[in-house]
Amino acid sequence: LYIKSKLNETPRSKIKTPKKKIDFSKWGPTEKKPLTKIQKITGEKLQAAWNEIPQVTQFNTADITDLNDFRKNLKEKNKEKGIKVTFLPFLIKAVAVLLEKYPHFNSSLDHNEKTLIIKNYYNIGVAVDTEQGLVVPVIKDVNKKSLIKLSEELETISNRARNKKLSTSEIKGGTFTISSLGGIGGSYFTPIVNHPEVAILGVSKSKWEHVYNENWKEFRPRFVLPFSVSYDHRVIDGADGARFAKDLSLVLENANNFKEQ
Ligand code: CAO
Protein backbone atom coordinates (compact mmCIF):
# COMPACT_ATOMS: atom_id res chain seq x y z
CA LEU A 1 0.00 0.00 0.00
CA TYR A 2 2.86 2.34 0.87
CA ILE A 3 4.55 1.68 -2.50
CA LYS A 4 1.23 2.19 -4.32
CA SER A 5 0.65 5.53 -2.60
CA LYS A 6 4.23 6.58 -3.41
CA LEU A 7 3.72 5.68 -7.08
CA ASN A 8 0.60 7.85 -7.20
CA GLU A 9 2.40 10.85 -5.79
CA THR A 10 3.14 13.72 -8.14
CA PRO A 11 6.85 13.61 -9.04
CA ARG A 12 8.85 16.41 -7.42
CA SER A 13 9.77 17.69 -10.87
CA LYS A 14 6.08 18.21 -11.73
CA ILE A 15 5.29 20.28 -8.61
CA LYS A 16 5.08 23.94 -9.51
CA THR A 17 5.71 26.57 -6.87
CA PRO A 18 2.57 28.72 -6.56
CA LYS A 19 3.26 32.12 -8.06
CA LYS A 20 2.43 35.17 -5.97
CA LYS A 21 1.10 38.21 -7.84
CA ILE A 22 3.30 41.18 -7.05
CA ASP A 23 2.41 44.78 -7.85
CA PHE A 24 5.84 46.08 -8.92
CA SER A 25 4.34 49.50 -9.76
CA LYS A 26 4.28 50.22 -6.01
CA TRP A 27 8.02 50.92 -6.27
CA GLY A 28 8.23 52.73 -9.61
CA PRO A 29 6.93 52.86 -13.21
CA THR A 30 6.58 49.53 -15.06
CA GLU A 31 5.38 48.32 -18.47
CA LYS A 32 3.98 44.96 -19.61
CA LYS A 33 5.44 42.92 -22.47
CA PRO A 34 3.77 39.57 -23.20
CA LEU A 35 6.17 36.68 -23.93
CA THR A 36 6.32 35.60 -27.58
CA LYS A 37 5.07 32.15 -28.58
CA ILE A 38 8.70 31.03 -29.06
CA GLN A 39 9.71 32.33 -25.63
CA LYS A 40 6.83 30.43 -24.01
CA ILE A 41 7.60 27.13 -25.78
CA THR A 42 11.37 27.43 -25.24
CA GLY A 43 10.81 28.45 -21.61
CA GLU A 44 8.71 25.37 -20.90
CA LYS A 45 11.29 23.10 -22.54
CA LEU A 46 14.13 24.67 -20.59
CA GLN A 47 12.21 24.46 -17.31
CA ALA A 48 11.49 20.75 -17.88
CA ALA A 49 15.12 20.04 -18.76
CA TRP A 50 16.30 21.97 -15.70
CA ASN A 51 13.92 20.04 -13.40
CA GLU A 52 14.33 16.58 -14.87
CA ILE A 53 17.95 16.25 -15.95
CA PRO A 54 20.75 16.03 -13.39
CA GLN A 55 23.33 17.93 -15.40
CA VAL A 56 27.03 18.55 -15.05
CA THR A 57 29.13 21.01 -17.08
CA GLN A 58 32.71 20.27 -18.07
CA PHE A 59 34.94 23.17 -19.20
CA ASN A 60 37.93 23.07 -21.51
CA THR A 61 39.90 25.09 -24.06
CA ALA A 62 41.33 24.31 -27.50
CA ASP A 63 44.31 25.99 -29.13
CA ILE A 64 42.77 26.81 -32.52
CA THR A 65 45.60 28.99 -33.86
CA ASP A 66 46.26 26.65 -36.82
CA LEU A 67 42.58 25.99 -37.37
CA ASN A 68 41.94 29.74 -37.42
CA ASP A 69 44.54 30.21 -40.19
CA PHE A 70 42.97 27.35 -42.12
CA ARG A 71 39.48 28.84 -41.64
CA LYS A 72 40.60 32.31 -42.78
CA ASN A 73 42.05 30.75 -45.91
CA LEU A 74 38.86 28.83 -46.65
CA LYS A 75 36.81 31.94 -45.89
CA GLU A 76 38.85 34.00 -48.36
CA LYS A 77 38.58 31.31 -51.07
CA ASN A 78 34.80 31.15 -50.75
CA LYS A 79 34.17 34.87 -50.41
CA GLU A 80 33.41 35.34 -54.11
CA LYS A 81 30.83 32.56 -54.02
CA GLY A 82 29.11 34.46 -51.19
CA ILE A 83 29.73 31.66 -48.65
CA LYS A 84 30.53 32.78 -45.10
CA VAL A 85 32.88 30.34 -43.35
CA THR A 86 32.70 30.83 -39.56
CA PHE A 87 33.93 28.54 -36.75
CA LEU A 88 30.65 26.77 -36.35
CA PRO A 89 30.99 24.33 -39.31
CA PHE A 90 34.35 23.19 -37.87
CA LEU A 91 32.76 22.62 -34.49
CA ILE A 92 29.91 20.68 -36.08
CA LYS A 93 32.42 18.47 -37.94
CA ALA A 94 34.53 17.92 -34.81
CA VAL A 95 31.45 17.04 -32.76
CA ALA A 96 30.32 14.51 -35.39
CA VAL A 97 33.70 12.74 -35.12
CA LEU A 98 33.37 12.59 -31.34
CA LEU A 99 29.78 11.38 -31.38
CA GLU A 100 30.92 8.40 -33.43
CA LYS A 101 33.62 7.74 -30.84
CA TYR A 102 31.28 8.26 -27.85
CA PRO A 103 27.89 6.91 -29.04
CA HIS A 104 26.16 7.45 -25.68
CA PHE A 105 26.58 11.21 -26.20
CA ASN A 106 24.35 10.71 -29.27
CA SER A 107 21.54 8.96 -27.43
CA SER A 108 18.27 9.47 -25.57
CA LEU A 109 16.70 7.66 -22.63
CA ASP A 110 13.44 5.97 -23.66
CA HIS A 111 10.15 7.11 -22.10
CA ASN A 112 10.56 4.66 -19.17
CA GLU A 113 14.09 5.90 -18.61
CA LYS A 114 15.24 2.27 -18.52
CA THR A 115 16.80 1.90 -21.97
CA LEU A 116 19.29 4.02 -23.85
CA ILE A 117 18.46 4.58 -27.49
CA ILE A 118 21.68 5.15 -29.39
CA LYS A 119 21.23 6.97 -32.68
CA ASN A 120 23.42 6.06 -35.61
CA TYR A 121 22.73 9.32 -37.39
CA TYR A 122 24.22 12.69 -36.57
CA ASN A 123 21.85 15.64 -36.62
CA ILE A 124 23.17 18.75 -34.93
CA GLY A 125 20.88 21.43 -33.54
CA VAL A 126 22.27 24.96 -33.58
CA ALA A 127 20.93 27.55 -31.14
CA VAL A 128 19.98 30.69 -33.06
CA ASP A 129 19.28 34.00 -31.40
CA THR A 130 16.23 35.69 -33.01
CA GLU A 131 14.12 38.73 -32.14
CA GLN A 132 11.32 36.36 -31.16
CA GLY A 133 13.55 34.29 -28.86
CA LEU A 134 15.84 31.27 -29.00
CA VAL A 135 15.23 28.62 -31.68
CA VAL A 136 17.21 25.47 -32.49
CA PRO A 137 17.07 24.42 -36.16
CA VAL A 138 18.68 21.07 -36.94
CA ILE A 139 21.29 20.32 -39.61
CA LYS A 140 20.85 16.71 -40.68
CA ASP A 141 23.52 14.06 -41.36
CA VAL A 142 26.41 16.41 -40.65
CA ASN A 143 28.97 13.60 -40.92
CA LYS A 144 28.16 13.30 -44.65
CA LYS A 145 28.52 17.02 -45.42
CA SER A 146 31.57 19.14 -46.27
CA LEU A 147 32.58 22.28 -44.36
CA ILE A 148 31.35 24.41 -47.25
CA LYS A 149 28.00 22.62 -47.43
CA LEU A 150 27.63 23.06 -43.65
CA SER A 151 28.51 26.77 -43.93
CA GLU A 152 25.82 27.23 -46.59
CA GLU A 153 23.20 25.30 -44.62
CA LEU A 154 24.04 27.17 -41.46
CA GLU A 155 23.49 30.49 -43.13
CA THR A 156 20.25 29.32 -44.74
CA ILE A 157 18.71 27.92 -41.55
CA SER A 158 19.78 30.82 -39.34
CA ASN A 159 18.23 33.24 -41.86
CA ARG A 160 15.09 31.11 -42.02
CA ALA A 161 15.00 31.09 -38.19
CA ARG A 162 15.36 34.89 -38.02
CA ASN A 163 12.65 35.36 -40.65
CA LYS A 164 10.29 32.97 -38.82
CA LYS A 165 10.32 30.63 -41.84
CA LEU A 166 11.37 27.35 -40.17
CA SER A 167 9.11 24.34 -40.72
CA THR A 168 8.47 21.76 -37.96
CA SER A 169 10.69 19.21 -39.71
CA GLU A 170 13.59 21.68 -39.59
CA ILE A 171 13.53 21.86 -35.78
CA LYS A 172 13.02 18.16 -35.09
CA GLY A 173 15.23 15.07 -35.03
CA GLY A 174 18.33 16.60 -33.43
CA THR A 175 20.76 14.30 -31.64
CA PHE A 176 23.14 16.87 -30.10
CA THR A 177 23.06 20.67 -29.81
CA ILE A 178 25.68 23.39 -30.16
CA SER A 179 25.12 26.80 -28.64
CA SER A 180 27.72 29.28 -29.89
CA LEU A 181 28.10 32.66 -28.25
CA GLY A 182 31.52 33.03 -29.86
CA GLY A 183 30.35 35.77 -32.21
CA ILE A 184 29.18 37.81 -29.21
CA GLY A 185 31.69 37.43 -26.36
CA GLY A 186 32.10 36.18 -22.79
CA SER A 187 34.40 33.48 -21.51
CA TYR A 188 32.43 30.42 -20.34
CA PHE A 189 28.76 29.60 -19.82
CA THR A 190 26.77 26.53 -18.77
CA PRO A 191 24.36 25.49 -21.55
CA ILE A 192 21.25 23.49 -20.59
CA VAL A 193 20.91 20.01 -22.16
CA ASN A 194 18.29 20.11 -24.93
CA HIS A 195 15.96 17.27 -23.82
CA PRO A 196 15.56 14.44 -25.04
CA GLU A 197 19.21 14.79 -26.08
CA VAL A 198 21.82 14.03 -23.43
CA ALA A 199 24.61 16.51 -24.14
CA ILE A 200 25.20 20.00 -25.46
CA LEU A 201 28.28 22.01 -26.43
CA GLY A 202 28.57 25.67 -25.42
CA VAL A 203 31.16 27.73 -27.30
CA SER A 204 32.55 31.08 -26.21
CA LYS A 205 34.72 33.68 -27.90
CA SER A 206 38.31 32.74 -28.72
CA LYS A 207 41.05 35.13 -27.73
CA TRP A 208 44.83 35.49 -27.92
CA GLU A 209 46.63 34.17 -24.84
CA HIS A 210 50.17 33.40 -23.77
CA VAL A 211 50.37 29.61 -23.75
CA TYR A 212 53.21 27.53 -22.30
CA ASN A 213 53.89 24.23 -24.00
CA GLU A 214 56.23 21.50 -22.72
CA ASN A 215 57.61 20.94 -26.24
CA TRP A 216 58.35 24.59 -26.97
CA LYS A 217 59.65 25.28 -23.41
CA GLU A 218 58.40 28.86 -23.77
CA PHE A 219 55.28 30.98 -23.83
CA ARG A 220 53.81 31.72 -27.25
CA PRO A 221 50.79 33.79 -28.32
CA ARG A 222 48.03 31.35 -29.27
CA PHE A 223 44.38 31.72 -30.26
CA VAL A 224 42.40 29.88 -27.60
CA LEU A 225 38.77 28.76 -27.77
CA PRO A 226 36.93 28.27 -24.46
CA PHE A 227 34.08 25.75 -24.50
CA SER A 228 31.83 23.79 -22.16
CA VAL A 229 29.98 20.50 -22.43
CA SER A 230 26.87 19.95 -20.30
CA TYR A 231 25.61 16.39 -20.05
CA ASP A 232 22.93 14.23 -18.46
CA HIS A 233 24.74 12.53 -15.59
CA ARG A 234 22.30 9.57 -15.67
CA VAL A 235 23.71 8.64 -19.08
CA ILE A 236 27.25 10.05 -19.06
CA ASP A 237 29.78 9.61 -16.26
CA GLY A 238 32.06 12.45 -15.25
CA ALA A 239 35.11 10.59 -16.59
CA ASP A 240 33.54 10.34 -20.06
CA GLY A 241 32.47 13.97 -19.85
CA ALA A 242 36.11 14.92 -19.27
CA ARG A 243 37.33 12.53 -22.02
CA PHE A 244 34.86 13.97 -24.54
CA ALA A 245 35.97 17.53 -23.74
CA LYS A 246 39.65 16.56 -23.92
CA ASP A 247 39.21 14.77 -27.26
CA LEU A 248 37.20 17.64 -28.72
CA SER A 249 40.11 19.88 -27.91
CA LEU A 250 42.54 17.45 -29.61
CA VAL A 251 40.42 17.27 -32.79
CA LEU A 252 40.18 21.08 -33.01
CA GLU A 253 43.89 21.58 -32.35
CA ASN A 254 44.92 19.66 -35.46
CA ALA A 255 43.87 21.57 -38.58
CA ASN A 256 44.79 18.50 -40.70
CA ASN A 257 41.63 16.84 -39.35
CA PHE A 258 39.62 19.26 -41.49
CA LYS A 259 41.74 19.51 -44.63
CA GLU A 260 40.00 17.04 -46.89
CA GLN A 261 36.52 18.39 -46.23
N1 CAO B 1 35.64 32.83 -31.32
C1 CAO B 1 35.98 33.93 -32.03
N2 CAO B 1 35.25 34.41 -33.04
C2 CAO B 1 34.11 33.75 -33.35
C3 CAO B 1 33.68 32.60 -32.65
C4 CAO B 1 34.52 32.14 -31.60
N3 CAO B 1 34.19 31.06 -30.87
N4 CAO B 1 32.53 32.19 -33.17
C5 CAO B 1 32.21 33.03 -34.17
N5 CAO B 1 33.17 33.96 -34.27
C6 CAO B 1 33.25 35.01 -35.26
C7 CAO B 1 32.87 34.48 -36.62
O1 CAO B 1 33.95 33.78 -37.23
C8 CAO B 1 32.52 35.74 -37.33
O2 CAO B 1 33.69 36.47 -37.64
P1 CAO B 1 34.22 36.64 -39.14
O3 CAO B 1 33.16 37.46 -39.83
O4 CAO B 1 35.52 37.33 -38.99
O5 CAO B 1 34.35 35.29 -39.74
C9 CAO B 1 31.79 36.52 -36.24
O6 CAO B 1 32.28 36.01 -35.03
C10 CAO B 1 30.29 36.45 -36.28
O7 CAO B 1 29.88 35.09 -36.32
P2 CAO B 1 28.33 34.71 -36.34
O8 CAO B 1 27.80 34.70 -34.96
O9 CAO B 1 27.64 35.57 -37.31
O10 CAO B 1 28.34 33.25 -36.99
P3 CAO B 1 28.45 31.82 -36.31
O11 CAO B 1 28.45 30.86 -37.44
O12 CAO B 1 29.55 31.73 -35.36
O13 CAO B 1 27.09 31.67 -35.51
C11 CAO B 1 24.70 31.59 -35.08
C12 CAO B 1 25.83 31.57 -36.14
C13 CAO B 1 23.40 31.45 -35.81
C14 CAO B 1 24.89 30.45 -34.11
C15 CAO B 1 24.80 32.92 -34.30
O14 CAO B 1 24.59 34.00 -35.16
C16 CAO B 1 23.85 33.01 -33.11
O15 CAO B 1 22.64 33.22 -33.24
N6 CAO B 1 24.42 32.88 -31.91
C17 CAO B 1 23.66 32.97 -30.65
C18 CAO B 1 23.23 31.60 -30.17
C19 CAO B 1 22.57 31.70 -28.81
O16 CAO B 1 21.79 32.60 -28.53
N7 CAO B 1 22.91 30.78 -27.94
C20 CAO B 1 22.46 30.82 -26.58
C21 CAO B 1 21.57 29.69 -26.32
S1 CAO B 1 21.44 29.31 -24.65
O17 CAO B 1 20.56 30.50 -24.07
Side-chain angles (χ1 to χ4, degrees):
L1 200 68
Y2 173 77
I3 292 172
K4 212 171 173 186
S5 72
K6 278 280 165 204
L7 284 174
N8 284 335
E9 271 180 15
T10 313
R12 280 182 70 82
S13 59
K14 297 266 155 57
I15 300 171
K16 280 205 162 180
T17 324
K19 304 278 184 308
K20 206 175 146 200
K21 200 171 169 190
I22 303 171
D23 179 12
F24 294 99
S25 66
K26 278 194 296 195
W27 300 289
T30 58
E31 46 190 278
K32 285 190 179 166
K33 195 174 170 220
L35 293 185
T36 63
K37 196 173 157 201
I38 290 178
Q39 283 173 322
K40 284 187 207 152
I41 296 170
T42 309
E44 271 176 30
K45 267 203 91 179
L46 288 168
Q47 182 71 71
W50 188 259
N51 287 346
E52 288 165 26
I53 304 175
Q55 359 197 338
V56 178
T57 306
Q58 172 72 52
F59 303 99
N60 205 2
T61 53
D63 175 345
I64 56 162
T65 317
D66 300 341
L67 187 59
N68 192 35
D69 289 342
F70 178 64
R71 180 189 76 90
K72 278 193 199 152
N73 211 328
L74 202 62
K75 187 180 153 187
E76 223 27 65
K77 274 193 203 151
N78 287 277
K79 214 174 188 170
E80 274 189 8
K81 290 185 214 148
I83 303 169
K84 198 178 136 201
V85 183
T86 63
F87 280 108
L88 214 41
F90 294 89
L91 293 162
I92 293 173
K93 270 284 167 202
V95 161
V97 170
L98 286 193
L99 294 179
E100 283 194 55
K101 182 169 178 192
Y102 296 95
H104 57 312
F105 278 71
N106 201 47
S107 74
S108 287
L109 281 165
D110 76 344
H111 67 292
N112 289 318
E113 299 185 345
K114 286 185 180 142
T115 306
L116 204 57
I117 300 166
I118 293 177
K119 297 155 211 167
N120 293 326
Y121 51 88
Y122 305 92
N123 295 345
I124 307 292
V126 176
V128 178
D129 175 40
T130 78
E131 276 180 12
Q132 301 293 309
L134 177 69
V135 282
V136 186
V138 174
I139 305 187
K140 309 261 161 51
D141 297 316
V142 296
N143 54 323
K144 297 178 189 158
K145 293 177 180 164
S146 69
L147 285 166
I148 297 305
K149 175 94 177 95
L150 290 173
S151 302
E152 287 176 314
E153 275 197 39
L154 192 60
E155 188 155 14
T156 311
I157 54 152
S158 49
N159 285 338
R160 284 174 65 76
R162 291 189 173 117
N163 296 324
K164 295 193 271 176
K165 290 267 158 53
L166 288 177
S167 64
T168 317
S169 66
E170 287 174 303
I171 53 168
K172 289 211 182 283
T175 62
F176 184 99
T177 297
I178 301 180
S179 174
S180 171
L181 295 177
I184 302 171
S187 46
Y188 290 99
F189 68 104
T190 53
I192 301 176
V193 172
N194 188 10
H195 181 80
E197 296 164 20
V198 295
I200 180 168
L201 171 68
V203 184
S204 300
K205 193 174 177 67
S206 327
K207 60 178 194 306
W208 287 95
E209 285 179 8
H210 267 105
V211 176
Y212 186 83
N213 180 306
E214 284 294 328
N215 299 327
W216 312 325
K217 302 265 184 266
E218 62 177 9
F219 282 95
R220 286 185 188 170
R222 306 291 292 175
F223 201 48
V224 178
L225 174 84
F227 66 87
S228 36
V229 182
S230 296
Y231 56 88
D232 185 334
H233 209 343
R234 296 171 299 177
V235 177
I236 296 162
D237 293 335
D240 275 346
R243 283 186 195 108
F244 185 94
K246 185 192 79 178
D247 285 355
L248 179 57
S249 178
L250 292 177
V251 171
L252 294 169
E253 286 182 356
N254 187 351
N256 288 329
N257 288 328
F258 301 87
K259 286 201 170 144
E260 278 164 16
Q261 313 289 339

